[in-house]
């Protein structure tokens, strides 16, 4: 069989477990190219609850794109979390999972979906000709902060893949391949929540430090 040239990934962990400073993370499943990894035990129940409590009053109807206008693409409500002790601890843990220094992270972005709300299929990286693309995003970690009664899967339509939200678990994916076709396969979205609500915390990571 011909051997394929496999591009190097940012994610550098092998085996079933990732040891971070304060927590052992479990690798549940992997999709190889583009690399998508489902992880368990990323955030503790207490941390999930604290993040939700901190955000409940802060999240506003999500604004995306240059116009910063309300958009049907993302009907959920979101906000970047202000820096605090819990956020710092989680960001450090995420940094070792994602294998990128904390300074490359945008900080924790919290999203809340009520029944009927969704995030349509999109790319996390910025369009090549945009200003933000000068220091583009390279990888994402979406952490699930609660159990969703029904719906709310993170779906990858070009891969026929979906990840069901579960409290404390996370889905990681990266899109910094030389092969742009591989990056484009990371098209993803948050399926409509049909029962209950959904809370996620997202860390988007840049190629270069932000501070
Ligand atoms: O809610 C989800 O499952 C996906 C969230 C997402 O795509 C993002 O935060 O960029
Ligand atoms: Fe996304």
């Amino acid at each position: 069989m011909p051997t394929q040239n496999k591009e190097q990934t940012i994610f550098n962990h092998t085996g079933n477990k990732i040891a971070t400073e304060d927590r052992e993370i479990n690798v549940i499943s992997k999709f190889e190219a583009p690399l998508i990894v489902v992880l368990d035990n990323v955030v503790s129940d207490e941390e999930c609850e604290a993040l939700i409590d901190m955000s409940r009053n802060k999240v506003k109807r999500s604004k995306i794109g240059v116009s910063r206008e309300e958009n049907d693409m993302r009907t959920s409500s979101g906000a970047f979390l202000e820096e605090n002790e819990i956020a710092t601890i989680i960001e450090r843990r995420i940094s070792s999972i994602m294998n990128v220094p904390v300074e490359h992270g945008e900080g924790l972005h919290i999203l809340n979906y009520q029944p009927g709300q969704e995030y349509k299929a999109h790319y996390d990286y910025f369009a090549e000709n945009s200003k933000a693309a000068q220091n583009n995003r390279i990888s994402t970690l979406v952490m699930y902060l609660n159990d969703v009664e029904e719906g709310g899967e993170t779906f990858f339509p070009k891969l026929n893949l979906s990840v069901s939200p579960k409290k404390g678990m996370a889905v990681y994916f990266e899109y910094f391949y030389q092969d742009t076709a591989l990056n484009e396969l990371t098209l993803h979205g948050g399926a409509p929540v049909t029962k209950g609500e959904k809370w996620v915390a997202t860390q988007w990571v840049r190629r270069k430090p932000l501070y």
Side-chain angles (χ1 to χ4, degrees):
M1 234 171 55
T3 47
Q4 272 186 318
N5 274 333
K6 219 170 120 195
E7 284 191 47
Q8 193 169 354
T9 57
I10 305 165
F11 188 90
N12 64 338
H13 311 283
T14 54
N16 299 340
K17 295 195 184 304
I18 302 171
T20 68
E21 234 170 85
D22 65 333
R23 206 170 172 84
E24 196 173 73
I25 315 301
N26 302 312
V27 176
I28 302 297
S29 89
K30 257 189 194 180
F31 188 92
E32 291 290 342
L35 183 61
I36 300 173
V37 188
V38 179
L39 301 160
D40 188 22
N41 203 36
V42 176
V43 196
S44 74
D45 284 359
E46 295 70 30
E47 288 166 337
C48 286
E49 285 145 28
L51 290 179
I52 292 174
D53 282 344
M54 279 174 223
S55 315
R56 212 172 263 288
N57 298 320
K58 293 208 186 93
V59 291
K60 297 203 184 74
R61 179 77 195 271
S62 298
K63 296 188 169 64
I64 52 173
V66 253
S67 62
R68 312 307 291 170
E69 276 169 359
E70 283 185 9
N71 189 308
D72 286 344
M73 269 297 287
R74 187 161 81 188
T75 52
S76 51
S77 307
F80 276 100
L81 208 65
E82 280 157 36
E83 278 309 313
N84 62 65
E85 211 177 318
I86 294 179
T88 303
I89 291 170
I90 296 173
E91 282 179 60
R92 289 183 60 149
R93 188 184 307 150
I94 292 175
S95 160
S96 58
I97 297 172
M98 300 178 87
N99 191 30
V100 180
V102 172
E103 297 76 24
H104 295 234
E106 293 186 23
L108 301 182
H109 184 264
I110 311 291
L111 268 182
N112 173 238
Y113 302 75
Q114 293 294 326
Q117 295 184 336
E118 65 181 323
Y119 194 169
K120 293 211 173 102
H122 63 278
Y123 297 109
D124 282 351
Y125 52 87
F126 303 109
E128 213 181 315
N129 54 1
S130 67
K131 182 122 198 289
Q134 289 170 15
N135 184 14
N136 215 337
R137 290 174 177 166
I138 57 173
S139 59
T140 301
L141 184 76
V142 178
M143 290 157 277
Y144 304 109
L145 304 182
N146 75 321
D147 289 319
V148 182
E149 249 184 279
E150 207 181 282
E153 299 86 357
T154 307
F155 64 97
F156 296 82
K158 296 190 176 195
L159 302 170
N160 288 327
L161 177 72
S162 78
V163 180
S164 297
K166 186 154 185 345
K167 187 174 182 177
M169 291 185 66
V171 59
Y172 167 89
F173 51 97
E174 53 175 88
Y175 31 86
F176 191 49
Y177 298 99
Q178 305 286 335
D179 180 354
T180 53
L182 219 42
N183 298 327
E184 284 168 7
L185 291 176
T186 63
L187 184 74
H188 65 281
V193 169
T194 47
K195 232 188 237 173
E197 62 172 351
K198 175 185 172 190
W199 286 90
V200 300
T202 301
Q203 173 73 298
W204 292 296
V205 165
R206 303 291 189 104
R207 185 163 52 87
K208 297 179 283 195
L210 285 162
Y211 53 92

